[in-house]
Amino acid sequence: MIWQPKGLQGIRRTVQFLVIVMMITIPTLSRYTNYLGARELDKSLERWDGTLQGEVLGGLDAVLRALPGGEKERVGRMVRNRTQVLEYAQSVRGGPWSVQIGPVSMTDPLAGAESIMASKQLVWVLLISLFIPIIGTVLFGRIFCSWVCPMGLLLEFTDKLRNLLRFLEIRPHNLHFSRSIKYVLLGVGLALTVMMSMPILGYIYPPAIIGREAHDLVFGIFDRIEEGRSGFWMGGLTWMSLIILGIALFEVTVSRRWWCRYVCPGGGLYSLLGKIRVTRVKRVADKCTLCGDCVVVCPMGLVPMQDVMGVECDNCGLCVSSCNDDALGYSISLKDEPFVSSVGTNKTDKEGVVQSA
Amino acid sequence: MDRRSFIGKLTGATLSVAGAIGGGLAMVAGSESSACLRPPGALLEEDFLATCIRCGRCADACPNRCIVGFTEDAGAELDVKPGLGQRNTPVIFARKKACILCNGAPGEDLLCTAACPTGALVKTKKDADVVQATVKMGKAEVDTTLCYSFNGASCGACVRACPFEGTALRAGLWEKPLVDPEACIGCGLCERACVHYPQAIRVRPA
């Protein structure tokens, strides 16, 4: 069985954008519930009318009421509706580093590894929270990198920028480093974590940084509205954003996807977990014309047309959708080897055998 | 392994070690760790720093928005800086906003403890007896040289703010605040309510 989805990229992009939307929505909803709580406590509703906070609250109220769940409860009873929306809003929190959506809690395996190694004890809450990401990685490989990670999305856009530069005949460099850097960094980071009894890789791990910065940015905007100030302002952004900016600039000018390929400690951990992944990209050797389109497109710098995917493949499916010969697809297997017989060729083979016998 | 790949690997190893140490150093900025008020149900400071992954879910969950990430910006007004490994950890600046123990908010557990994915905040029932028995954020301490009630004017603002009024914080003669260190959980509402500046009653973090 080989699955050759061509429309996967659209879905993947949608998921990536949904993650960005959630990173903005979650802190917004958090502030919204704060305002609701304050308004409930503040028996005098008129204090909220006409103020900027009142305006914001009213706007968010209208948006949330349009959502399913809000509308149903609205009929006749405002208060009921509000508590309904409140529960609705309070069921999501966190960011790409660790998130809770309703009853489902998910934590990055890197965060889990660091917390466990620094505190030297196992906690049920954390193990439950790690369950979905680890199972997902074992089944589908580094899909966090290709489907969720906001840094991955950013770097895919800077990739487009690289193409633009190439189109303008300004050739950006494309240096290659050792892929083992990320494992060394992961090892050193975890060793330091154990020695210092403190999770430190979270401070240099881009999804964690972006999640915190986005959260602080949204909270900063709300603080700004509350204080009623204006003028030039950096939001809640800290110097941590410069790390992200630096990674992106280095990507554009020096080395394509260098962070994901060579450095990212979280990517390294996902790679190790995904070593035994069940879903793999496979090549149908009979159909492949060795055109090399997949090699050009692969963000991880792999060579799908030679069947060497190894632990690095993040199953993004770009090679699958870029293949003009329908030679690449996903298959369920534990080894990287060419897909010998597609269903069609298999049949003819059997018939051939039967006929010759 | 040929020379080229060996040099590549060596450079890689050196770069990554440098990176990790750089990351560590960046975090150490302001290396003295400062005592700060953690959310209710938090482990002791050392264990807390080891267990917490700095995800900010407790801050999102806090109905009073008293839990904030410990950054230079957040502590600027009170002149406190995050120390060794304290950056982005959840902290409560009681003078700005104190813990209301999720009074009036939905849910069975204290919302921040329910949100914590690592057990750095131990799940705690939203029940007065349970909270008083298990939560030890800190202890309130009265500076009798500053407190109005100890200096000839009766005030009592802190006593009225206390969620465990009568046990944790009692009003003595002329509304003098009398703290019972056994019963006080260190929520900081008294410090928030204190009308004297600098605050005459403060919470010393556990």
Side-chain angles (χ1 to χ4, degrees):
Chain A
M1 261 302 284
I2 193 155
W3 187 48
Q4 299 175 309
K6 296 287 179 187
L8 201 63
Q9 294 313 309
I11 306 172
R12 189 169 71 93
R13 198 61 92 218
T14 315
V15 172
Q16 283 177 318
F17 274 110
L18 273 178
V19 171
I20 303 289
V21 168
M22 286 204 73
M23 274 164 47
I24 306 295
T25 315
I26 289 174
T28 311
L29 285 178
S30 173
R31 283 307 270 256
Y32 172 74
T33 53
N34 285 146
Y35 288 162
L36 280 183
R39 189 166 66 177
E40 296 295 320
L41 283 175
D42 234 24
K43 298 292 181 197
S44 54
L45 274 174
E46 57 272 18
R47 254 187 72 178
W48 288 84
D49 291 338
T51 61
L52 270 171
Q53 291 176 47
E55 294 292 315
V56 172
L57 188 58
L60 285 169
D61 246 346
V63 171
L64 282 177
R65 226 174 275 137
L67 293 173
E71 187 66 34
K72 235 187 316 181
E73 301 295 322
R74 188 161 67 108
V75 190
R77 297 200 298 184
M78 278 299 285
V79 180
R80 180 68 197 281
N81 172 42
R82 252 185 232 140
T83 49
Q84 187 73 23
V85 174
L86 198 70
E87 278 167 26
Y88 192 74
Q90 271 175 345
S91 63
V92 288
R93 52 179 76 101
W97 187 226
S98 176
V99 73
Q100 182 163 24
I101 304 164
V104 183
S105 169
M106 289 181 279
T107 301
D108 196 298
L110 185 64
E114 285 205 292
S115 181
I116 288 169
M117 291 178 83
S119 66
K120 295 167 194 75
Q121 55 192 345
L122 294 171
V123 188
W124 271 114
V125 200
L126 182 56
L127 294 179
I128 292 165
S129 190
L130 287 172
F131 184 74
I132 293 174
I134 287 180
I135 292 296
T137 312
V138 167
L139 288 182
F140 303 110
R142 285 175 71 172
I143 47 162
F144 176 85
C145 304
S146 53
W147 286 69
V148 179
C149 182
M151 193 70 205
L153 182 62
L154 178 62
L155 290 185
E156 276 184 50
F157 278 104
T158 50
D159 254 7
K160 297 241 156 53
L161 206 59
R162 282 177 71 89
N163 291 342
L164 180 70
L165 286 180
R166 214 172 285 122
F167 178 72
L168 296 173
E169 305 209 335
I170 306 167
R171 288 221 183 118
H173 293 279
N174 194 5
L175 299 185
H176 296 278
F177 306 100
S178 166
R179 283 183 193 273
S180 46
I181 295 178
K182 57 176 173 291
Y183 305 113
V184 178
L185 185 54
L186 177 67
V188 171
L190 288 181
L192 277 177
T193 296
V194 174
M195 282 192 292
M196 298 168 68
S197 293
M198 217 174 266
I200 61 164
L201 281 173
Y203 290 112
I204 57 163
Y205 185 49
I209 298 176
I210 295 180
R212 279 195 294 261
E213 293 294 301
H215 183 275
D216 288 358
L217 182 67
V218 173
F219 265 46
I221 290 171
F222 276 100
D223 285 343
R224 195 77 176 171
I225 293 172
E226 280 179 22
E227 288 161 14
R229 287 195 280 132
S230 59
F232 178 77
W233 155 85
M234 278 289 289
L237 296 182
T238 64
W239 57 267
M240 289 269 191
S241 326
L242 295 179
I243 298 177
I244 305 299
L245 194 66
I247 291 173
L249 278 179
F250 199 78
E251 208 268 350
V252 175
T253 51
V254 181
S255 174
R256 187 181 171 209
R257 290 303 285 271
W258 70 288
W259 183 267
C260 312
R261 286 183 193 176
Y262 315 117
V263 186
C264 186
L269 186 59
Y270 276 117
S271 284
L272 294 177
L273 286 174
K275 192 169 185 170
I276 47 166
R277 69 183 180 276
V278 179
T279 317
R280 279 166 199 268
V281 172
K282 293 257 164 172
R283 184 178 64 112
V284 185
D286 332 346
K287 287 185 183 171
C288 177
T289 55
L290 298 175
C291 66
D293 279 357
C294 50
V295 184
V296 175
V297 89
C298 181
M300 287 295 149
L302 304 171
V303 190
M305 68 174 183
Q306 284 173 0
D307 309 304
V308 246
M309 313 299 283
V311 293
E312 309 288 338
C313 175
D314 63 4
N315 276 344
C316 65
L318 273 169
C319 54
V320 175
S321 42
S322 76
C323 185
N324 293 321
D325 308 310
D326 286 346
L328 287 167
Y330 291 112
S331 178
I332 293 173
S333 156
L334 286 169
K335 278 183 192 156
D336 284 326
E337 51 195 20
F339 193 81
V340 182
S341 45
S342 65
V343 181
T345 48
N346 203 7
K347 237 177 205 168
T348 51
D349 277 3
K350 264 185 187 164
E351 280 165 9
V353 171
V354 169
Q355 277 167 8
S356 69
Chain B
M1 188 190 295
D2 62 351
R3 187 159 58 155
R4 206 189 155 97
S5 76
F6 177 72
I7 291 174
K9 287 212 166 105
L10 200 66
T11 330
T14 322
L15 269 179
S16 48
V17 170
I21 292 171
L25 284 181
M27 180 200 60
V28 171
S31 61
E32 246 174 73
S33 78
S34 39
C36 50
L37 210 57
R38 297 299 182 190
L43 304 171
L44 289 178
E45 183 71 7
E46 220 167 275
D47 296 335
F48 182 80
L49 284 179
T51 316
C52 171
I53 56 168
R54 289 83 163 142
C55 64
R57 268 161 66 165
C58 48
D60 271 350
C62 183
N64 189 33
R65 219 192 319 137
C66 66
I67 303 174
V68 292
F70 202 169
T71 57
E72 275 87 3
D73 274 5
E77 273 176 57
L78 303 172
D79 206 22
V80 279
K81 274 183 190 164
L84 178 66
Q86 285 180 326
R87 170 176 288 277
N88 298 117
T89 50
V91 65
I92 294 175
F93 297 121
R95 265 160 276 176
K96 281 183 168 178
K97 255 186 186 152
C99 175
I100 56 169
L101 299 168
C102 297
N103 188 15
E108 278 186 12
D109 294 327
L110 294 175
L111 291 177
C112 50
T113 66
C116 183
T118 62
L121 305 178
V122 181
K123 284 205 182 357
T124 309
K125 282 267 171 297
K126 226 165 69 178
D127 174 78
D129 296 333
V130 176
V131 165
Q132 201 155 21
T134 56
V135 174
K136 292 290 167 215
M137 298 162 71
K139 298 269 171 269
E141 283 175 358
V142 183
D143 187 337
T144 48
T145 59
L146 296 178
C147 180
Y148 284 126
S149 299
F150 280 92
N151 291 288
S154 70
C155 161
C158 52
V159 178
R160 281 179 204 98
C162 183
F164 300 107
E165 185 188 348
T167 53
L169 195 55
R170 286 181 299 113
L173 187 65
W174 310 122
E175 307 266 12
K176 281 177 188 167
L178 302 172
V179 181
D180 176 2
E182 291 302 306
C184 177
I185 63 154
C187 66
L189 282 165
C190 49
E191 184 174 334
R192 171 102 175 89
C194 184
V195 294
H196 193 278
Y197 185 85
Q199 277 74 10
I201 184 163
R202 292 185 182 212
V203 176
R204 180 185 292 270

